Structures are given as structure tokens and as C-alpha cells.
């Protein structure tokens, strides 16, 4: 069973988020995907290009770069206390906005849960 949930948005238009009901328990596909994306299953760190990160700028797939590290905040979008502000730098470098006074130390620790790799450095 797939339930489509529409989020109320401001000026930005986001795609609806699909939620699957009736999970089977155990390791979820998303956690398996996260391990694969981050490369932790193989012990290798995943390195992403700017173009790859830039493809993730919607509510269905939201990635941000903070201090050269890539984070997948897709599951956090609906929880973000700043609402739509999380989309200000969607698919790009959000370091400047992230280091503003609105984010305390607990937020800086929390983002580690969403870490998926490093941004490829410019050569």
C-alpha cells in the first residue's frame, strides 16, 4: 500500500513524498541504501561530485554539503524547525547558512546521522 502525502509549501514547489505502509521489520531498504551510498559496507568513503549532489534538491531527495561533507537530509525535511529554509541551498553548499546562530551544538552533532560521504575537491 502506497500513501501519497502532500506537504503545504511556500513559494517552492516540491514533489509529493510517498510513504509505504506495512513494513516487514528488520533492516530497512533505506538503511541498506544509506550504507551503500556512504560506502560504509565496503569500508571505503564515498566521494561525490558537485553534479551528483546537485541532482538531490527536492523533498524526495535532499542533499546538502556542509564543510565539504555530504549529507542526505531527505528523512529530516519534515522535522526541520526552520521549515522551508532547509531548501535554501538544496543540492549545494549550505555551510554558510548552517553555521548561523540558529544552529546550536546539538544540531552540529545530529547531522552525523545523515552523513553519506565527502564532496570531491576541485582539482
Amino acid at each position: 500500500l502506497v500513501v501519497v502525502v502532500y506537504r503545504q509549501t511556500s513559494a517552492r514547489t516540491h514533489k509529493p513524498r510517498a510513504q509505504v505502509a506495512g513494513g516487514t521489520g528488520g533492516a530497512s531498504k533505506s538503511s541498506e541504501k544509506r550504507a551503500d551510498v556512504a560506502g560504509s559496507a565496503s569500508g571505503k568513503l564515498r566521494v561525490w561530485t558537485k553534479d551528483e549532489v546537485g541532482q538531490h534538491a527536492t523533498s524526495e531527495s535532499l542533499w546538502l554539503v556542509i564543510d565539504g561533507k555530504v549529507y542526505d537530509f531527505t528523512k529530516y525535511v519534515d522535522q526541520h524547525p526552520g521549515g522551508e529554509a532547509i531548501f535554501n541551498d538544496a543540492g549545494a553548499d549550505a555551510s554558510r547558512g548552517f553555521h548561523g546562530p540558529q544552529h546550536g551544538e546539538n544540531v552540529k552533532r545530529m547531522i552525523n546521522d545523515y552523513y553519506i560521504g565527502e564532496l570531491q575537491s576541485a582539482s
Side-chain angles (χ1 to χ4, degrees):
L1 171 67
V2 174
V3 178
V4 177
V5 178
Y6 287 91
R7 297 184 330 110
Q8 183 177 8
T9 62
S10 59
R12 295 181 188 263
T13 302
H14 303 292
K15 296 178 182 177
R17 300 184 68 182
Q19 296 178 345
V20 178
T24 59
S28 69
K29 288 184 180 182
S30 62
S31 65
E32 291 169 6
K33 178 185 174 200
R34 182 175 310 280
D36 181 52
V37 167
S40 60
S42 64
K44 296 178 183 176
L45 181 66
R46 179 67 158 98
V47 178
W48 302 95
T49 66
K50 277 186 170 183
D51 288 342
E52 288 173 316
V53 173
Q55 295 174 22
H56 301 274
T58 70
S59 61
E60 286 185 339
S61 183
L62 176 66
W63 292 11
L64 299 173
V65 176
I66 301 170
D67 299 330
K69 297 180 185 306
V70 180
Y71 300 89
D72 179 351
F73 286 112
T74 306
K75 290 186 175 189
Y76 184 70
V77 168
D78 292 331
Q79 301 168 35
H80 186 250
E84 298 292 315
I86 198 167
F87 291 100
N88 289 348
D89 296 301
D93 191 337
S95 301
R96 185 174 172 192
F98 178 78
H99 290 297
Q102 74 281 12
H103 293 135
E105 290 303 314
N106 60 333
V107 174
K108 293 173 183 169
R109 285 188 300 272
M110 177 273 306
I111 67 171
N112 292 328
D113 293 341
Y114 300 94
Y115 175 75
I116 59 169
E118 300 287 320
L119 182 66
Q120 183 178 49
S121 59
S123 312

